[in-house]
């Protein structure tokens, strides 16, 4: 449609559109739930909107924003059907983001449905996917805890 | 009324102003929220370096009154006000008034301690940096100074980089006071600063307020009548008449508590009315 054809880029953009509602919803909820006290405190000290957003609100919001991000990430990784028609499912190494390629989920789908005796490889791919998700989730978790290690306690 | 004229040459303000005898003048202030009037016709003259307590039952507009003075009321939509407030003879309720300067000159302490979710040091320095103090030595010096002023320095000197949220409620409130006075305000507005604290913390904060009044003009809203009596030099009694807050009596604290002129005040301070 936009001249992208079957490409990893168009697949990525499609996934971005799909997880956007999750991200918007969690972000909106998060910023709404930040206590009015912080806003008042910041106004009373005549802090600019920029400082308030980046130095007061964002540290409060990071844990919830990350949760939304992880949810979105999981949703995107599990997506199959939308990708068949956007990024395609050729099984060669893509040359660039404009090239067609296959996501892990499509690989699993293809191995189980179209390749006789491909189940073992499909399980292997699924295991790899689980490991990738575990690594990303736990490293994001670790990062947020590091950022907030001294901020979360007694935060009522 | 205690309209004593006091001159404090050391309190030279950076604003291009003449030293007025009253630090804060409120004339015929009325506040309307939506269509409902919540405060009517408040007039008060507040001298420099005094502690004025504002007492009265809940819902009589005391907090709205405070938020008019620093214009935090702008955050509440559909609120209208009429009348005049002069801070250092500068009109406050003017669409053109410089809110940043106004809020730098008027520190605000809220009912619930609200330190930002960051380190103790950063809590104090964030506003200083915002308003132009860049030198880190100077920042550290001011941080140390204001923490000493509120008597918190010895308690936290070894953990300035720890989160402010790890402090106790009383310590958090003192940190909020330190944060406010770091900007060198002239007036401190306190909206029930002790109501969320334990008796020992209250005692510490009361002593602090008394000490601070040597340098700052203080306006404190409190539900604690004994507290108003202990720390303030003058007292204003707000009372809701038909749901509209009015100033029913204003004068020296001693007079209000010993010989109230208004019958409602007399009943209220004796605990007959709540």
């Amino acid at each position: 449609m936009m001249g992208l054809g079957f490409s990893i880029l168009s697949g990525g953009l499609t996934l971005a559109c799909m997880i956007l509602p999750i991200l918007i919803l969690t972000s909106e909820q998060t910023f709404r739930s930040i206590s009015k006290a912080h806003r008042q405190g910041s106004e009373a000290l005549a802090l600019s909107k920029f400082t308030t957003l980046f130095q007061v609100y964002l540290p409060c919001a990071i844990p919830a924003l990350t949760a939304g991000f992880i949810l979105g990430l999981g949703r995107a990784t599990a997506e199959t059907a939308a990708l068949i028609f956007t990024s395609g499912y050729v099984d060669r190494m893509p040359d660039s983001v404009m090239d067609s390629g296959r996501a892990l989920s499509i690989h699993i789908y293809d191995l189980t449905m179209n390749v006789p005796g491909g189940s073992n490889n499909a399980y292997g791919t699924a295991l790899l996917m689980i490991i990738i998700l575990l690594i990303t989730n736990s490293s994001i978790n670790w990062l947020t805890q590091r950022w907030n290690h001294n901020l979360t306690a007694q935060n009522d | 009324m205690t309209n004593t004229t006091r001159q404090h040459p050391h309190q030279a303000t950076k604003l291009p102003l003449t030293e007025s005898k009253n630090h804060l003048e409120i004339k015929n202030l009325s506040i309307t929220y939506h269509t409902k009037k919540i405060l009517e016709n408040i007039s008060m003259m507040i001298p420099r370096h005094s502690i004025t307590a504002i007492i009265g039952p809940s819902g009589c507009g005391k907090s709205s009154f405070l938020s008019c003075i620093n214009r935090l009321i702008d955050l509440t939509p559909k609120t209208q006000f009429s009348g005049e407030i002069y801070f250092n003879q500068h009109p406050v309720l003017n669409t053109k008034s410089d809110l940043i300067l106004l809020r730098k000159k008027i520190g605000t302490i809220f009912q619930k301690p609200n330190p930002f979710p960051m380190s103790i040091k950063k809590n104090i320095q964030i506003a200083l940096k915002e308003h132009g103090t860049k030198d880190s030595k100077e920042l550290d010096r001011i941080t140390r100074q204001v923490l000493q002023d509120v008597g918190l320095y010895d308690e936290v000197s070894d953990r300035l980089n720890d989160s402010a949220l790890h402090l106790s409620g009383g310590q958090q409130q003192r940190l909020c006071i330190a944060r406010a006075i770091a900007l060198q305000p002239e007036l401190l507005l306190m909206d029930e600063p002790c109501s969320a604290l334990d008796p020992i913390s209250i005692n510490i904060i009361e002593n602090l307020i008394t000490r601070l009044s040597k340098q700052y003009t203080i306006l404190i809203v409190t539900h604690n009548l004994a507290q108003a009596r202990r720390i303030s030099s003058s007292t204003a009694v707000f009372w809701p008449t038909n749901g509209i807050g009015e100033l029913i009596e204003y004068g020296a604290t001693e007079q209000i508590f010993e010989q109230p002129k208004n019958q409602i005040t007399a009943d209220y301070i004796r605990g007959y009315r709540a």
Side-chain angles (χ1 to χ4, degrees), chain B residues 66-127:
Chain B
L66 277 198
S67 61
C68 261
I69 298 169
N70 60 9
R71 291 281 297 277
L72 270 195
I73 199 154
D74 291 8
L75 290 180
T76 317
K78 295 187 181 168
T79 315
Q80 286 162 334
F81 31 73
S82 64
E84 283 155 289
I85 297 180
Y86 292 95
F87 172 58
N88 280 334
Q89 294 186 320
H90 263 268
V92 170
L93 298 181
N94 184 323
T95 43
K96 284 180 202 146
S97 63
D98 181 350
L99 287 189
I100 293 178
L101 186 60
L102 182 74
R103 287 170 187 170
K104 272 168 75 179
K105 290 288 167 197
I106 302 181
T108 311
I109 318 297
F110 299 92
Q111 181 171 3
K112 204 178 145 200
N114 60 346
F116 297 135
M118 52 182 76
S119 70
I120 296 170
K121 192 166 143 186
K122 224 180 146 207
N123 254 289
I124 292 171
Q125 298 187 351
I126 184 170

Side-chain angles (χ1 to χ4, degrees), chain B residues 30-49:
Chain B
S30 298
I31 307 174
T32 313
Y33 178 64
H34 281 275
T35 50
K36 191 186 180 310
K37 200 157 230 185
I38 46 177
L39 260 191
E40 183 155 87
N41 225 358
I42 308 290
S43 294
M44 284 168 81
M45 301 287 165
I46 292 156
R48 249 166 221 281
H49 303 184

